[in-house]
Structures are given as structure tokens and as C-alpha cells.
Amino acid sequence: MPILTYREALNRAMTEEMEKDPNIFLMGEEVGHYEGAYKVSQGMLAKFGERRVIDTPISENGFAGVGIGAAMVGLRPIIEFMTWNFSLVAIDQIINSAAKMNYMSAGQFPIPIVFRGAGGAGGRLAAQHSQSFESWYAHIPGLKVIAPYTPADAYGLLKTSILDNNPTIFIESEVLYGTKGEVPTGEFYIPMGKADVKREGTQLTIISWSRALMYVLPAAEKLAKEGISVEVVDIRSIRPLDEEAILASVRKTNRALIVEEGWNVAGFGAQLAYLVQKEAFDYLDAPVERVTQEDVPMPYAANLEKASLPSEEKIIQKVREMIK
Amino acid sequence: MSQPKTKKDTQDLHELYRQMLLIRRFEEAAAKSYSMGKIGGFCHLYIGQEAVGVGAIAALEERDYIVSTYRDHGHALARGLEPKSLMAELFGKKTGIAKGNGGSMHFFDKTKNFMGGHGIVGGHISLAAGIAYASKYRQDGAVTLCFFGEGAANIGSFHEGMNLAAIWKLPLVMICENNHYAMGTPEYRALSVKDVSVRAAAYDIARDHIEGDEVRKVRDHVQFAIDRARRGEGPTLMEISTYRFRGHSMSDPAKYRTKEELEKYKQGDPLIKAEKELLQCGWSREELDGLSDSIQSIVDDSLNFAEKSEEPPLGWLHKHVYAENI
Ligand SMILES: Cc1ncc(C[n+]2csc(CCOP(=O)(O)OP(=O)(O)O)c2C)c(N)n1
């Protein structure tokens, strides 16, 4: 199986879909001549030309709106936010226009659009450039929210998102772009709303997604050496959510720990905790627990940044407490 | 010396007058139903501004697009959306143009390229640029007409939308319906310029400014901008000066303006102007009264229809949150 980086997998997904459907175009800051701030669109301008790989000025609200308008009349835009931090100036368009257009018009105007770009905590980028917004977007009916961890998931889920007739928030992890993984040859699509058990186990379920799995999976390995068997469920798709897979795992292991890179208060993990206690209460041998980012803006200092994020140690510590 | 105009010369004016009268009567009926509690939410009336929407939309072809604000009743009727479905939408019935999901601020009709009433001030401006962008992308020859108020000319989305439309030379005509108030804020307290269209200079695009009380004049000026857009010469920013005779919405008594000011503007009522001209050109009082009666009966029918229609079934609550994938 070919090994691709996360970034190459995303590039391949977009390129393949754009080759098939002339209605698809890519738009954003630096996506064309610069080939993407994180080089996700490398080679795409040369391949598709300026009509389909479009550089914009710094106007997130404006070009998000342009994408939505174009989608109203049947084009299928992929809008890249250089990072999701800058999507905040476009959040009005994403929530008030994209998410609701189909509903407000009673089905007359579906918005087949993908908003994608780099998200999550990055290497010492500090408070304004190091944030996870999955929970924000997951809050909104009408949006779909995807956050893949592996290159294969990134590929298969981006292709599905491009074909979806709804606005999709596709949050890539800035830290994962260079990571490598096997991506099967031949085209494939991963359905939304399907979790993936990234590791089997029997004593405790960790529910997580995206870059947080970088801490979760090694922690699970170490715990295994201590004789604690942890199952890891990567939800991948935050909305729609694979409730069945989560519950099946918790009913098997009887313990649930949620690990997320975002903040604790009103974070998506709170929703997961609610789900587990409501639907699997009788199976639980311990309260549902969470490991999240600390309740602070991201600090710059290396030690503080590390301290604010979930980590292997924090996860191991929490699992030990829960298993006692 | 120019010949006196005849009925034949003013057939077009008669049609535009008919549309303006339909808007006026429709909204008077809506206002009444609102007071009776049959229409809920916000209800922003267009009364006084009819010549702008009717004149501008008269310049469009079928393939062209319209993007509107929360003050969308007039634009929708001028575009020929079915009064019955519009009234039913106001009543929140299943037969409404958006099946009761939209209400007053969100009329949509795909079959008429009526791309919505939008409730966030100025948010729709970049959507309009996007629709125009799609026309350019596909070379389909369509032009997008976007209405907004002078209040919207102060929000970031206006500037971003204009700049994008300008750099990409989009087939877009932007019409600022300057009714001189954004809710209770008079323009001089909010706008750095007296005439919004002068901002066109900042984007190096064409501009125009006219008074909006004569419907054919509006049509002709908008036609000019549309032709320019269709020829690929890019967007135009127009200001059309007008006045709303009612408050900002049904719940606004409009105490921020004087009676004298309102009376002054009512002298320039576009319907009265058009009516006078029609009478001068050979139409009889009886003919115009007949027209008025026939419009009243359309409005009555729409009220009846809305009243009799059922509410949307509760089972529809979750419908249309997501579109189907095929
Ligand atoms: C972003 C935003 N801010 C505030 C409002 C509340 N609001 C609705 S209409 C309006 C006034 C807008 O005036 P203008 O653009 O001149 O249009 P007009 O109502 O005069 O047609 C305001 C403040 C809103 N809907 N959206």
C-alpha cells in the first residue's frame, strides 16, 4: 500500500474529485500561486488553472459568502481557510447562511460546500492561532463536522465531504499535515457518521478524534504494558456522530474517557459524556471522565503550552484513577 | 416638438403601476393581518419604496438572479412570485413559498431565481457576489441584482463583497435603496458619505445615483447597469434614493422622524406619480379603478388561501435540516 502524508492524501482527494466534476473549484487565500499556506493544494493551479484554483484577497467573510452563493446555484466550492482561527470572521456566513439556507428555503437551496483548512493546536503559535473549533461548529444544525486523524481517513472523508450536498466543516490538524500513513490505492469513500476503532481493548474506552489521538494511542500502548487494556474509538465524524460504535465499545469495556484537544466548558466531550451516561448508564463501572485542554487561551511558553494540552501522562494518570 | 403620450406609449408604465399597486395592497393586507396576530415575527414593509424594486426588476431577464434583504415582499412580488404562496408563508402555512420555514424575511423561489430574503444586514452581499461568480464561471450570461439598505453599506461584508466583485469583474448590480434610516438611525449619523454610490470609486467600478420615485426612470438606469454587467464590463454600485412610509418594521412607531418629513415624502409617492401620468396619457379613472379592484381581489384571494391553508405538519420539524445526497 502506498504511504502518503496527510497533506498528500487531502490533495489527492481534491484532485480526483475536481477531475471528475467541473462544478468543483477550490478557493481561498494562497491556494493557487503559493500552492497553499500548508501546501495542501500543491500542483493544483498548474493542473486546473486559475479558473478553478482561485486566490482570494484576505476577506474570509467575503469569500465564504461567495462560495455559499455559488453553491446556491449548483457549483460545489471547496473553500480553504488558511486556518480555522480566521474562519471566525466568516462564522456569520457559515452559520447564518450556509447552515440554514436549505432549511429556510424548505429544501430549495442545498449548499454543497466544503470549508476546510488547518485547525487545532500548533507549535507555540499562542492564543490566536492555536485553537480547536470542532465544538463550535458541531453546535449548529445544518452543518456536518469532520476531523480525521490518519491520511487514509483524511482522503476518504474529504472525498465524501466533497460529494455531500450539505455544508461540511472539514477540520484538518495543522500538526498532522506531515504525518504519514498507508492509503490504499484506488478510490474509496469513507461514510460520514462512522467511527473507527483504532485499537481494541477490554477495560476502558477512550473516545477521541484528530490530533488528540497522537497522545491517546501511545498512552494506550504504555497502559497495555501495565496490564490495562484500553480500546480507542476515533469518532472521525463529529456530526453526524456514530453513537452506536461509541456505545457498543462502552458497553463492552464499562468505562469511558473522552480526550479532546479543545476546551472543557461546553466542549463536544460534554455531549459525548451525556450520550454515554444516558444510553449506557447501567454498564458504567466508573463515572465518565474527560481530559481536555486547560481552560485558558493557549500560552506561548513551551512548558505552559504543553501543560495546557492533553498529554500521554495526563491520559495515563486519568485511566489509572478510573481503573482503580 | 414631442407628441403627447398615448395609452399605447404607456402600456409599460401601466404594467409597472399594476405591480406597484399589488405590492402596496398586499402589504396593507399583511399589516392588517399582522395587527390581528395572524402574522408573527418581524414584518418589514416596503410601502413607499415600490418604484425601486419594480423598476429594477423590470430590467431583468428570466435567467437573471435577485438577492434581497429581510424587506423582501416587494422584490418577491415584482419578480412574479405567487402572492398566495407569499401570504401563506407570512401566515406560517405549509403552502408557503418556503413551506412555513422562512416567514417574512426569508422568501425563496428557485423557479424564479429569487435567491432569498436574508436577515443579517449586509450578509447577503457576498452571496450575491457568489451567484454572479457562478455565472461568470459558467459563462451563462446571467446578471445578479442585489438589493440592500444604506445601513448595510457600513458592514465589512459590503466592502469585501464589493472588492471581490470588482477584482473579478462580476456581473453584479448592487442597488442601495437608501430610505435614509437604518431602523432608527438616520443616515447622517452612520454614513461617512452622503451618497453610498460614491464608494464605487474605492473599488474602481461604475456608479449611478437617482431618485427612486419614478418607476420607468429606475428601470432605465438599472437597465444600463445590467447591460454593462452582461457585456462583461463588471459591477455597478447604484444608490436609489427612496423613503419608507411605515416604521422599520411593524413594531416600530417611527418616532425618530417628524410628521412634516413624512408628509413631504408622501408628496412623491411613486404610485401617485405613476397614476397621474397614466391619467394624463389617456387612461381613464374607471380603468384604473378596475385595475385596483382586480388587484384587491388577488390580495383577498391570497388572504383566503393563507387563512384556509394548514399549518405544516409537526413531522416536518426535522425536514430540510440536511439535504439528501443522491
Ligand atoms: C448584522 C446585523 N446587525 C443588526 C441587525 C438588526 N437590524 C435589522 S435591519 C437593521 C437596519 C438596516 O437598515 P438598512 O440597511 O438601511 O435597510 P432598511 O431597513 O432601511 O431597508 C438593523 C440594525 C441585523 N439584522 N443584522
Side-chain angles (χ1 to χ4, degrees):
Chain A
M1 247 189 280
I3 306 283
L4 293 186
T5 61
Y6 192 87
R7 124 180 342 107
E8 286 164 347
L10 294 164
N11 182 296
R12 188 179 130 195
M14 285 193 286
T15 302
E16 284 174 7
E17 294 306 323
M18 282 178 68
E19 277 167 347
K20 284 187 280 191
D21 183 353
N23 286 317
I24 303 171
F25 64 86
L26 173 67
M27 177 181 273
E29 290 158 23
E30 311 289 0
V31 298
H33 293 274
Y34 193 81
E35 305 198 297
Y38 292 89
K39 300 288 175 248
V40 175
S41 52
Q42 192 126 38
M44 289 179 65
L45 175 66
K47 187 164 188 106
F48 296 106
E50 287 189 349
R51 180 170 165 270
R52 299 186 65 199
V53 179
I54 302 129
D55 282 324
T56 67
I58 303 162
S59 342
E60 283 79 5
N61 179 289
F63 67 75
V66 165
I68 298 162
M72 287 181 82
V73 285
L75 294 184
R76 306 186 72 88
I78 304 172
I79 301 294
E80 177 174 308
F81 290 121
M82 191 178 283
T83 79
W84 279 96
N85 302 290
F86 318 137
S87 77
L88 297 192
V89 299
I91 204 164
D92 166 52
Q93 287 298 3
I94 298 170
I95 294 177
N96 276 319
S97 298
K100 293 164 188 169
M101 201 76 75
N102 195 59
Y103 197 79
M104 293 193 302
S105 68
Q108 295 183 74
F109 292 102
I111 306 295
I113 192 168
V114 179
F115 296 104
R116 50 155 288 274
R124 301 191 56 198
L125 291 178
Q128 293 180 333
H129 285 72
S130 229
Q131 318 183 68
S132 303
F133 288 124
E134 290 91 311
S135 304
W136 284 42
Y137 291 109
H139 188 61
I140 309 301
L143 297 180
K144 297 191 173 181
V145 183
I146 306 294
Y149 175 58
T150 66
D153 286 352
Y155 168 84
L157 280 163
L158 183 54
K159 284 173 76 81
T160 304
S161 302
I162 294 170
L163 295 196
D164 200 283
N165 282 335
N166 294 284
T168 302
I169 304 297
F170 195 93
I171 303 183
E172 298 151 15
S173 161
E174 176 166 339
V175 174
L176 294 176
Y177 279 132
T179 58
K180 291 183 178 165
E182 288 182 342
V183 182
T185 38
E187 277 190 86
F188 62 93
Y189 295 83
I190 297 174
M192 293 183 185
K194 279 270 166 268
D196 186 41
V197 177
K198 289 276 191 284
R199 185 182 201 287
E200 304 248 7
T202 56
Q203 284 176 283
L204 181 141
T205 298
I206 295 182
I207 307 158
S208 190
W209 65 92
S210 191
R211 188 251 186 141
L213 287 160
M214 274 180 102
Y215 312 115
V216 169
L217 290 166
E221 283 306 316
K222 289 190 180 150
L223 286 161
K225 294 202 178 101
E226 290 179 23
I228 300 175
S229 168
V230 172
E231 177 145 305
V232 177
V233 177
D234 174 5
I235 59 176
R236 303 193 288 198
S237 161
I238 290 158
R239 193 192 249 269
L241 180 68
D242 190 348
E243 300 188 353
E244 277 320 303
I246 293 165
L247 295 172
S249 178
V250 175
R251 285 178 184 139
K252 180 173 101 178
T253 64
N254 310 113
R255 287 178 179 84
L257 168 65
I258 297 144
V259 181
E260 63 184 307
E261 201 179 59
W263 290 296
N264 178 292
V265 177
F268 192 67
Q271 177 69 20
L272 292 170
Y274 165 76
L275 169 76
V276 171
Q277 72 81 24
K278 178 150 192 302
E279 301 293 336
F281 186 76
D282 292 341
Y283 294 85
L284 288 177
D285 289 340
V288 179
E289 279 287 2
R290 295 170 69 195
V291 172
T292 66
Q293 198 207 318
E294 290 298 309
D295 198 17
V296 296
M298 188 65 79
Y300 168 71
N303 64 327
L304 294 184
E305 184 191 67
K306 188 159 181 288
S308 97
L309 285 168
S311 65
E312 269 178 57
E313 300 78 55
K314 287 182 194 173
I315 294 163
I316 289 170
Q317 179 63 27
K318 187 65 84 183
V319 171
R320 284 189 193 135
E321 285 168 23
M322 289 174 72
I323 290 288
K324 262 206 305 243
Chain B
M1 228 188 83
S2 65
Q3 294 287 316
K5 293 230 168 68
T6 64
K7 274 173 84 169
K8 217 166 136 237
D9 300 324
T10 50
Q11 204 65 53
D12 61 340
L13 180 61
H14 185 265
E15 167 56 19
L16 298 173
Y17 174 70
R18 186 191 68 75
Q19 292 180 24
M20 294 198 292
L21 199 58
L22 174 62
I23 295 170
R24 182 73 55 98
R25 296 281 174 268
F26 180 94
E27 290 211 304
E28 285 163 356
K32 205 163 151 215
S33 302
Y34 189 89
S35 317
M36 291 160 68
K38 295 185 174 177
I39 296 174
F42 290 139
C43 185
H44 308 87
L45 300 182
Y46 197 59
I47 289 177
Q49 305 186 199
E50 293 92 341
V52 182
V54 168
I57 289 169
L60 295 182
E61 296 177 5
E62 258 179 48
R63 61 179 161 165
D64 296 331
Y65 296 95
I66 295 164
V67 190
S68 174
T69 66
Y70 44 83
R71 200 180 297 286
D72 57 358
H73 305 174
H75 303 146
L77 286 164
R79 184 55 164 181
L81 272 64
E82 184 51 51
K84 279 186 184 167
S85 349
L86 299 182
M87 193 64 84
E89 189 62 36
L90 295 180
F91 277 56
K93 299 298 180 72
K94 66 186 277 194
T95 51
I97 196 87
K99 300 195 164 75
N101 275 11
S104 169
M105 300 191 287
H106 306 300
F107 286 167
F108 286 90
D109 190 347
K110 188 170 188 166
T111 64
K112 295 266 186 337
N113 287 354
F114 193 80
M115 311 305 282
H118 300 271
I120 304 297
V121 170
H124 65 304
I125 290 171
S126 49
L127 302 183
I131 293 163
Y133 180 84
S135 289
K136 183 160 185 183
Y137 189 90
R138 291 179 165 142
Q139 303 285 316
D140 65 10
V143 173
T144 298
L145 196 61
C146 178
F147 294 99
F148 62 101
E150 82 289 348
N154 298 321
I155 200 166
S157 148
F158 165 82
H159 301 286
E160 296 188 15
M162 287 314 306
N163 187 56
L164 294 174
I167 58 175
W168 294 330
K169 272 197 179 308
L170 300 181
L172 178 66
V173 176
M174 297 280 299
I175 296 184
C176 175
E177 292 192 63
N178 188 347
N179 59 19
H180 311 295
Y181 291 90
M183 255 168 104
T185 305
E187 58 188 337
Y188 65 82
R189 285 207 280 124
L191 270 171
S192 59
V193 291
K194 281 218 176 72
D195 168 359
V196 167
S197 76
V198 302
R199 289 188 173 166
Y203 312 106
D204 194 19
I205 59 169
R207 66 175 272 256
D208 194 4
H209 171 96
I210 51 168
E211 295 300 314
D213 51 355
E214 284 177 45
V215 66
R216 288 198 292 186
K217 179 162 125 196
V218 172
R219 180 196 59 198
D220 295 346
H221 277 253
V222 173
Q223 188 71 60
F224 191 81
I226 285 179
D227 291 345
R228 173 191 288 134
R230 222 185 294 284
R231 286 193 304 268
E233 292 166 24
T236 300
L237 178 59
M238 293 180 75
E239 174 174 294
I240 304 183
S241 190
T242 181
Y243 202 78
R244 58 168 158 75
F245 295 164
R246 305 287 186 113
H248 168 67
S249 72
M250 281 301 291
S251 52
D252 168 26
K255 292 206 173 117
Y256 41 81
R257 62 187 190 190
T258 61
K259 270 210 180 78
E260 294 70 43
E261 179 182 301
L262 179 60
E263 282 316 311
K264 185 191 97 190
Y265 278 104
K266 281 194 169 166
Q267 301 304 309
D269 186 332
L271 273 91
I272 295 178
K273 280 202 157 173
E275 195 184 63
K276 262 195 192 142
E277 196 177 341
L278 288 171
L279 288 169
Q280 279 164 7
C281 295
W283 297 83
S284 67
R285 186 74 258 169
E286 293 68 44
E287 280 172 316
L288 297 190
D289 288 348
L291 177 67
S292 175
D293 291 347
S294 74
I295 281 170
Q296 194 55 52
S297 75
I298 292 174
V299 170
D300 291 345
D301 284 351
S302 71
L303 278 172
N304 240 323
F305 175 79
E307 190 88 59
K308 292 217 179 88
S309 293
E310 287 171 36
E311 294 185 310
L314 285 179
W316 283 10
L317 180 61
H318 289 271
K319 210 171 149 172
H320 300 305
V321 176
Y322 293 98
E324 302 282 317
N325 288 317
I326 359 147

